[in-house]
Amino acid sequence: MFLEAGLLTRRSVRQFDKNKRIAQSDIDDVLKIAMYAPSGCNCQPWEFVVVDDELIKDRLVAAHSHASFLKDASLGIVVCGNTEKELDDGFWVVDCSAATQNLLLALHGKGMGGCWCAIYPYVDRMKEFQKILGLPKQIKPLALVVAGYPTKIPPQPADRFDKTKVHYNKY
């Protein structure tokens, strides 16, 4: 069943084989799947910056206190939103979050691993990523997805389904 094979087995991966690179065709495939995410009125405000240059990766690690494992990963994909293409103020965050989830699932589906490292809503971090990547002012970085081939996959958690968090018709 797909749920067990995909959605319920995906984990955030933070340990990568630094000698194994992701093929360009696989990068294209996972980005295609990311771009199939839903977006408000199908505006698709996402933009992606693929970072595999070691010097730029080092600068991103210095700018993000929780992304040190990027140094061993094949690459980072910075998911960004174009505020000139969003449906309404703030929709880029929702739309690009959906694209980020699709990206993580696509990586998992191809036998790779990934980890979502938040850039937004940290204003200083956003500014530093904009500077490092040369992003125009209307392009806002949401997340750094660290991607590669895992050397260790975190264990499956206990069942996360919690009926107390489900409400029908009213809270």
Side-chain angles (χ1 to χ4, degrees):
M1 175 182 230
F2 178 73
L3 288 176
E4 285 77 17
L7 295 173
L8 298 181
T9 58
R10 190 213 63 80
R11 293 286 157 267
S12 292
V13 173
R14 293 178 180 85
Q15 294 177 341
F16 297 94
D17 182 343
K18 60 183 163 189
N19 298 313
K20 195 166 182 187
R21 295 288 164 235
I22 299 175
Q24 185 63 52
S25 60
D26 287 333
I27 296 169
D28 293 344
D29 286 348
V30 298
L31 290 173
K32 178 180 181 176
I33 292 168
M35 292 181 205
Y36 268 74
S39 65
C41 287
N42 202 29
C43 289
Q44 303 174 34
W46 39 70
E47 303 278 344
F48 303 89
V49 180
V50 178
V51 179
D52 60 2
D53 179 277
E54 295 302 322
L55 294 175
I56 297 173
K57 284 169 57 177
D58 288 344
R59 291 182 67 196
L60 295 181
V61 166
H64 198 302
S65 58
H66 300 289
S68 61
F69 45 91
L70 174 60
K71 68 183 183 312
D72 290 335
S74 295
L75 51 88
I77 300 173
V78 181
V79 182
C80 303
N82 185 335
T83 59
E84 292 179 353
K85 292 186 178 179
E86 66 183 331
L87 177 63
D88 208 346
D89 287 344
F91 270 61
W92 72 271
V93 175
V94 176
D95 295 343
C96 293
S97 293
T100 302
Q101 178 69 4
N102 274 22
L103 177 58
L104 290 165
L105 290 169
L107 287 165
H108 178 61
K110 287 196 144 293
M112 294 176 265
C115 186
W116 180 333
C117 301
I119 301 169
Y120 175 89
Y122 303 101
V123 175
D124 290 342
R125 191 178 289 166
M126 290 174 69
K127 287 180 183 177
E128 191 64 21
F129 270 68
Q130 284 177 306
K131 185 171 81 174
I132 293 167
L133 300 173
L135 302 177
K137 68 177 184 164
Q138 77 276 12
I139 305 298
K140 307 295 184 194
L142 173 85
L144 166 63
V145 174
V146 179
Y149 288 92
T151 58
K152 182 179 177 187
I153 297 173
Q156 296 297 311
D159 186 0
R160 290 184 177 180
F161 182 72
D162 182 351
K163 285 189 95 147
T164 66
K165 295 184 179 194
V166 179
H167 313 278
Y168 291 90
N169 301 315
K170 291 184 178 184
Y171 193 89

